[in-house]
Amino acid sequence: MTAANNADATSLTNLLHRWRDGDGAAYNAVIEQSYEALRKLAHARVNRVGGEAGMAPTELLHEALIKVADAPKDWQSRAHFFASMSLTLRSVLIDFARAQQAERRGGEFAMVTFTESGQASQPATHAGLLELEDALCEIEAVDPRSGEILHLTYFADLTVEEVASVLNISAPSVYRELRFARGWLKDKLKEKLKA
């Protein structure tokens, strides 16, 4: 991390702590400082589901910001904040997909092909997004930390070092558990696609 990036991370962490302590102006400063990175995160989240999420990245981000505005968390660092926001983006997107699917009960279900890394290689429908979500929830039930590591690396776009910092574990542990989670997810998605 460069000196400028380190200063930005420290500044954001200080703002997050001020927000937690009730400083309303700190919320605006957090959003201003992190908006572009959060927008890229929302864009990546939508792209990872093949762009067929049914929500524009900006709409997804704004829904997530509304969700966290009234309930600030005790974020420990910049990485922790982005990891939490990624989970919020995931939650908003899944809630939207479920609502859309409920509207179309019995609608078309398209096959989704996933690469070895677990990413959609062709456009996913709401059904495909929900299958991926179900698989992620299953791995989180089987091995919560591996599921969290998978989420933080693929969906929060955190580096191995940032994941290690957020989870307070070593980088080699992150690598080891990420290998397990990737293999597990690949096998689970193959099972779902065969069914």
Side-chain angles (χ1 to χ4, degrees), residues 68-181:
V68 299
D70 295 330
K73 308 223 186 292
D74 187 17
W75 291 301
Q76 303 302 313
S77 65
R78 177 189 181 282
H80 190 216
F81 170 70
F82 281 101
S84 296
M85 285 303 300
S86 178
L87 288 170
T88 303
L89 290 169
R90 173 181 165 189
S91 172
V92 168
L93 197 55
I94 294 303
D95 289 347
F96 182 79
R98 285 191 176 123
Q100 294 298 313
Q101 199 67 6
E103 285 179 17
R104 290 189 279 169
R105 281 185 180 232
E108 291 184 37
F109 290 86
M111 290 295 289
V112 180
T113 304
F114 291 90
T115 63
E116 287 197 16
S117 66
Q119 296 179 10
S121 65
Q122 52 185 274
T125 63
H126 294 296
L129 175 59
L130 294 175
E131 285 180 4
L132 178 58
E133 173 65 10
D134 288 345
L136 289 171
C137 288
E138 285 182 44
I139 192 170
E140 289 167 348
V142 170
D143 186 339
R145 192 165 76 179
S146 290
E148 190 171 11
I149 288 170
L150 185 67
H151 173 85
L152 293 174
T153 55
Y154 280 109
F155 298 111
D157 289 328
L158 297 183
T159 65
V160 167
E161 291 74 21
E162 288 172 325
V163 172
S165 174
V166 167
L167 298 179
N168 200 25
I169 59 175
S170 69
S173 293
V174 172
Y175 281 116
R176 182 177 55 253
E177 293 190 40
L178 187 55
R179 275 193 308 275
F180 164 76

Side-chain angles (χ1 to χ4, degrees), residues 31-95:
I31 302 309
E32 183 178 312
Q33 185 173 339
S34 63
Y35 187 83
E36 188 59 29
L38 289 171
R39 190 188 63 74
K40 287 179 183 175
L41 192 60
H43 187 59
R45 170 66 74 166
V46 168
N47 281 346
R48 283 217 168 93
V49 295
E52 297 294 321
M55 292 184 91
T58 302
E59 180 184 12
L60 173 60
L61 174 57
H62 291 184
E63 289 292 325
L65 290 173
I66 289 168
K67 210 169 185 179
V68 299
D70 295 330
K73 308 223 186 292
D74 187 17
W75 291 301
Q76 303 302 313
S77 65
R78 177 189 181 282
H80 190 216
F81 170 70
F82 281 101
S84 296
M85 285 303 300
S86 178
L87 288 170
T88 303
L89 290 169
R90 173 181 165 189
S91 172
V92 168
L93 197 55
I94 294 303
D95 289 347

Side-chain angles (χ1 to χ4, degrees), residues 10-24:
T10 301
S11 172
L12 184 57
T13 299
N14 289 335
L15 287 170
L16 290 165
H17 291 170
R18 286 180 33 213
W19 178 19
R20 175 201 60 208
D21 294 338
D23 182 347

